Amino acid sequence: MVPGTAVRWRRRVGRWRRTALAALICGAVVLPLSGAARPETPAPAPAVLAAPTAGTLDEAYAANRANAAEASRMAAAHGDRHRAAADRSMADPSRHLLAFDGQGAGLATEVFGDLAHADRVAVLVPGSDTSLDTYDRFRAAALALHRQLAAEAPEGTRTAVVAWLGYETPDTVSTTVATTGRADRAAPKLRSLVDDLRGITGPDTLLTLLCHSYGSVVCARAADGLDVTDIALVGSPGTGADSAAGLRTSARIWAARGADDWVEHVPHLSADLFGTTVGFGTDPVSPDFGARVFAAGDGGHSDYFDTGSVSLTNLARIALGETTEVTHD
């Protein structure tokens, strides 16, 4: 190499990193949001229920459906037809809602399959822009996974999927999407969900977390000592940890990114600013992170749970514990 070239290259890389970090900080902390806040649609307080057990699941489902029905009536009276329709769909007798809260952006935990008797349970943790108003796309992912598990499970293995919209997700264009604040607040709720699932299923059922986008930050914040066998991170911007070992969990850590996922271009940097961590550090699919990297195909950021996709097939294998069948690029 020509003398001085390496030095100039290092300087250019350093400038790029500083520029990228500055842009990240600007977007997360300084960038003003456009548009006025939408007036909040009224909704009832969530149903007050004891911790669910296998014997009380049907009662919990019924109580949360009734709450969703009341939320739909209140939204309709307020003139919010879109939210009224979303809540009314939640109240359908076929829905199994382990939790529901129609207030604000809305929260819901929905079960697919026979949770009380499941041998394997996969918990989906969503990323940004997920709310009751956009819930259908999250539900579609859970349904696709549920069908895939049922198709691939060995004979006699019973499966269930839990779609956990249990935290207020950040907007993709917002002051919160590049910080760990929402994830820090969500982590205790995710740990509480796992405890509740253990109370329903018992200790022999194996639980897996499948975490998409910003949801991977939530899973990482909750991982320490969590009673799950596997944590899969897809489309992850980072976790806030430097490595898989930094998550302090005995669970196997998996990571994947589709070839057309824009998150590849997010700078994998992290900085403390005014007591807030901005950025999420090491890329989970990089060798430095130390996760088990698996194939996700050619899909984009929203395609990981598409029926027939490489990523969905591998996520189902992870949830089923068929780790030797997981494919790699």
Side-chain angles (χ1 to χ4, degrees), residues 22-147:
L24 187 64
I25 292 171
C26 178
V29 181
V30 180
L31 183 67
L33 298 180
S34 61
R38 191 181 80 173
E40 187 167 298
T41 299
V48 178
L49 303 170
T53 66
T56 63
L57 269 181
D58 287 341
E59 295 175 21
Y61 294 157
N64 287 309
R65 287 195 301 266
N67 191 272
E70 178 61 19
S72 179
R73 288 189 288 269
M74 293 176 69
H78 185 70
D80 190 338
R81 292 182 294 176
H82 181 75
R83 175 57 69 84
D87 292 340
R88 185 166 58 251
S89 178
M90 289 285 194
D92 189 273
S94 66
R95 306 293 281 267
H96 293 164
L97 301 180
L98 196 60
F100 177 83
D101 182 355
Q103 300 174 112
L107 304 174
T109 302
E110 186 168 8
V111 175
F112 303 86
D114 184 358
L115 181 60
H117 300 99
D119 303 301
R120 293 273 183 175
V121 176
V123 179
L124 269 62
V125 180
S128 59
D129 292 326
T130 309
S131 66
L132 290 184
D133 292 319
T134 63
Y135 182 80
D136 282 350
R137 68 187 185 192
F138 180 46
R139 187 173 192 265
L143 281 169
L145 178 64
H146 183 230
R147 289 191 293 266

Side-chain angles (χ1 to χ4, degrees), residues 150-179:
E152 292 199 13
E155 185 175 355
T157 298
R158 297 162 294 188
T159 63
V161 172
V162 177
W164 183 72
L165 175 55
Y167 78 107
E168 184 182 0
T169 69
D171 295 333
T172 297
V173 180
S174 71
T175 57
T176 54
V177 75
T179 71

Side-chain angles (χ1 to χ4, degrees), residues 188-207:
K189 299 176 182 179
L190 182 54
R191 286 192 287 265
S192 179
L193 172 74
V194 170
D195 288 343
D196 284 347
L197 294 178
R198 281 286 170 225
I200 295 167
T201 64
D204 295 332
T205 297
L206 301 181
L207 305 181

